[in-house]
Amino acid sequence: MLDPRDQAPGPFLAEARRLGADDLAVRRLLSAILGQGIHDPAAWGRSFQVPRRLSDAIGTLPRLRLDRVVTSPRDLFQKLRFLTGDDLALETVLIPLHRPGAASVCLSSQVGCAMGCTFCATARMTTRRNLAAWEIVDQWVQARDLARSQGRRVSGAVFMGMGEPFLNYDRVLAAAELLRCPYGAAVGAKSITISTVGLVPEIDRYTTEGHRFRLAISLGAATDAKRARLVPVAARTPVAQVMAAARRHALARRDRVMLAYVCIRDENVGEDDARALGELIGDTPVRLDLIDVTDPTGRFLPPAPDELKAFRDALTRHVGQPVVRRYSGGADIQAACGTLAGER
Ligand code: SF4
């Protein structure tokens, strides 16, 4: 029987072969589940010629239980709450894109998070564990099925939900590969983004291994002193080393690294912060994404409009790389960046 706690393409194929299946049968199975969203083992045999022994084994894998769906009346973001086999809650966000009918999915990679970012609800969760690759993929499959039922098409995935993806490196990469594989979900590699708060050894490993998914690095702030307040665990590594790893990645890929910057009123949006960002980034090919903080506790507030405008003007003077403002939707249903907490 396949072990649902540690599902990955390699072991998946190996186990399927042990069960007597060839690669073609496995591809048909992935096509049925990931491509078509058909979860009835009887239908796999009928329509996809998946061998009975294989479909029986895969069919016993426990799925995530979709417990609740909340839709934002403001911007139509949807938050899905799942329960794992060991009764832990995790959340996933279905994100409407600008193109009509298009959507992407924000995936969780862990229950809880050990990185302790002070503005993040996930950091305050008491239960923590890594999610299996299959549990990550199943979030995408069920969100995709929900979107289909609404006449929408999911074309991407972002690993920006609960948890630090690079603390669950192998399973996150296995899940991303499963989403990418052409006989499964067939999501384009460039439509999959993996985010980290700045784990340098894992960024370098990711660069060395040559993955084609997009990389996003969440900075928090441009100086070590401010990072120590906002992203304390990640700040144990000097921000200059994080940027050096980003530069190695950008140059190896010949592509811009996305730098996510959570904007917080009176905290990291002053002239000094813009200047520090400019000095830190230099000529490294990045795209700086500005995101308003969302903190339901009220401790951290987004910048006031004039404060944000002054910050953007300062960035224009100090940063010689593209700067964009990214919308963090679903704030009214606590589905925005930093608000996922799997509350029961
Ligand atoms: S912001 Fe991301 S890395 Fe930081 S605590 Fe929250 S989930 Fe973890």
Side-chain angles (χ1 to χ4, degrees):
M1 159 114 72
L2 292 170
D3 183 349
R5 291 166 304 175
D6 200 8
Q7 194 64 252
F12 183 94
L13 291 167
E15 181 66 15
R17 282 198 198 95
R18 197 184 69 73
L19 288 161
D22 57 16
D23 284 358
L24 181 63
V26 174
R27 288 176 192 191
R28 284 175 170 156
L29 183 68
L30 291 178
S31 172
I33 301 173
L34 302 188
Q36 305 296 317
I38 297 171
H39 304 288
D40 174 12
W44 300 342
R46 263 197 322 272
S47 309
F48 294 86
Q49 290 130 42
V50 173
R52 176 75 189 270
R53 218 146 53 103
L54 184 58
S55 61
D56 280 355
I58 307 285
T60 60
L61 289 178
R63 302 196 66 201
L64 294 177
R65 187 157 63 82
L66 181 56
D67 178 50
R68 192 175 69 172
V69 178
V70 186
T71 304
S72 162
R74 196 191 295 169
D75 55 23
L76 301 182
F77 276 56
Q78 289 182 294
K79 184 164 77 168
L80 290 70
R81 184 174 65 189
F82 293 105
L83 299 179
T84 63
D86 49 350
D87 204 33
L88 300 176
L90 62 103
E91 291 176 331
T92 306
V93 182
L94 185 55
I95 304 169
L97 299 179
H98 292 304
R99 293 187 307 280
S104 187
V105 182
C106 179
L107 298 165
S108 292
S109 53
Q110 300 182 301
V111 173
C113 185
M115 299 307 290
C117 303
T118 45
F119 49 82
C120 177
T122 309
R124 293 190 278 274
M125 293 176 66
T126 49
T127 319
R128 290 172 191 159
R129 85 159 162 84
N130 283 333
L131 292 174
W134 190 253
E135 290 172 319
I136 298 170
V137 171
D138 203 19
Q139 294 171 56
W140 189 91
V141 169
Q142 296 202 43
R144 186 273 315 271
D145 292 349
L146 176 66
R148 272 187 180 165
S149 72
Q150 301 164 346
R152 292 193 282 165
R153 181 176 168 271
V154 170
S155 57
V158 293
F159 288 79
M160 295 181 179
M162 293 163 59
E164 158 57 53
F166 277 175
L167 284 180
N168 191 13
Y169 186 98
D170 290 329
R171 289 163 176 153
V172 162
L173 265 296
E177 287 296 342
L178 268 172
L179 293 177
R180 185 189 65 85
C181 77
Y183 44 83
V187 180
K190 293 289 186 199
S191 299
I192 297 174
T193 301
I194 300 178
S195 172
T196 174
V197 75
L199 306 188
V200 169
E202 284 75 13
I203 294 172
D204 283 339
R205 177 180 170 191
Y206 182 78
T207 303
T208 306
E209 289 176 353
H211 300 289
R212 309 310 300 185
F213 313 114
R214 289 196 183 280
L215 177 67
I217 299 175
S218 186
L219 271 190
T223 65
D224 290 327
K226 287 198 177 179
R227 286 185 91 234
R229 283 208 297 275
L230 297 174
V231 292
V233 179
R236 291 174 193 161
T237 304
V239 69
Q241 290 183 23
V242 176
M243 186 53 61
R247 184 178 181 82
R248 288 190 287 276
H249 183 82
L251 296 181
R253 280 299 161 285
R254 296 181 185 166
D255 198 4
R256 292 184 189 280
V257 170
M258 182 201 299
L259 285 188
Y261 192 87
V262 176
C263 297
I264 305 174
R265 182 182 301 183
D266 298 330
E267 180 65 46
N268 64 354
V269 287
E271 176 85 24
D272 288 355
D273 299 292
R275 189 178 304 114
L277 273 168
E279 288 168 5
L280 181 71
I281 292 170
D283 63 355
T284 301
V286 301
R287 190 189 80 188
L288 188 61
D289 279 19
L290 307 180
I291 307 158
D292 281 358
V293 73
T294 307
D295 177 12
T297 71
R299 181 177 164 203
F300 296 101
L301 296 172
D306 54 347
E307 190 182 21
L308 182 65
K309 181 177 181 312
F311 184 54
R312 292 198 68 163
D313 290 346
L315 289 173
T316 305
R317 289 193 297 278
H318 294 294
V319 176
Q321 303 291 325
V323 178
V324 299
R325 183 138 188 246
R326 195 169 91 213
Y327 178 65
S328 180
D332 54 333
I333 56 167
Q334 296 183 16
C337 293
T339 61
L340 301 184
E343 284 177 25
R344 306 292 289 269

